[in-house]
Amino acid sequence: KAYLVQGDKTLQSSVPKGVPYHASADLKDRIESKAAPWGSVVHGILQGDLWLKTDAGYLPMTLQGVDVLSERVSQNKVATDVQPSGCDIVQFSAPFYYVAEDEGELHVDLMRLGRLKGEATVFWETIDASAVAGVNYTASSGMARFGDREHMVSIS
């Protein structure tokens, strides 16, 4: 499974390189030269509730009392309801979107693939990952409508 490496500003400033890898599921086995960078996605298998085993080593699920690994939801899990065509697919136009805190509003393009016949409706919502609603961004949700033969809409 995929996990997002995240932490609050205090933790990120005290451990700037990211979450340190370990040679085993033991805090004493820290690999000083390796860390999973903040905001990155790592893949691995949970070892109990406390460790994630990856190809690069073991990562603790918490660091200094803060949860630092959260299961990642598929990037293209935007299409929750497409009507009426049933054969169309709606996905993000890019696999990742990044925005700096001072950039303001983020605009995301959705692409409709398939027959493009008739209207299609997609319901969407923001979810917490490396940012937290109410702290780092304003939570939002809505409905995107595609007209007949329309293949791209923007949401914000």
Side-chain angles (χ1 to χ4, degrees):
K1 291 186 178 181
Y3 293 83
L4 179 66
V5 181
Q6 60 186 6
D8 60 28
K9 287 183 181 185
T10 304
L11 184 59
Q12 289 183 22
S13 64
S14 69
V15 188
K17 291 183 180 180
V19 179
Y21 280 98
H22 293 74
S24 68
D26 186 335
L27 289 175
K28 295 176 186 174
D29 282 342
R30 183 175 176 169
I31 303 171
E32 295 297 329
S33 61
K34 285 172 79 173
W38 299 115
S40 66
V41 175
V42 296
H43 294 83
I45 300 170
L46 275 177
Q47 304 291 299
D49 293 332
L50 303 175
W51 293 90
L52 181 71
K53 183 179 181 183
T54 73
D55 289 339
Y58 291 80
L59 290 170
M61 296 298 290
T62 61
L63 197 59
Q64 298 176 9
V66 177
D67 291 335
V68 291
L69 299 176
S70 62
E71 190 172 341
R72 183 81 171 157
V73 177
S74 169
Q75 289 294 325
N76 290 331
K77 199 167 184 172
V78 135
T80 57
D81 189 11
V82 178
Q83 301 168 345
S85 69
C87 294
D88 290 355
I89 295 171
V90 177
Q91 67 183 28
F92 293 115
S93 63
F96 299 97
Y97 289 89
Y98 298 96
V99 62
E101 289 185 23
D102 61 348
E103 285 186 53
E105 193 170 89
L106 173 66
H107 298 277
V108 175
D109 291 325
L110 301 177
M111 289 187 334
R112 178 182 178 193
L113 309 170
R115 297 181 314 160
L116 306 180
K117 290 186 179 181
E119 292 185 357
T121 303
V122 176
F123 299 93
W124 60 270
E125 67 180 337
T126 57
I127 59 170
D128 292 351
S130 60
V132 177
V135 176
N136 307 107
Y137 73 97
T138 303
S140 188
S141 63
M143 181 174 63
R145 281 203 169 121
F146 292 85
D148 186 41
R149 303 222 177 271
E150 188 175 16
H151 73 280
M152 185 87 67
V153 297
S154 183
I155 60 175
S156 55

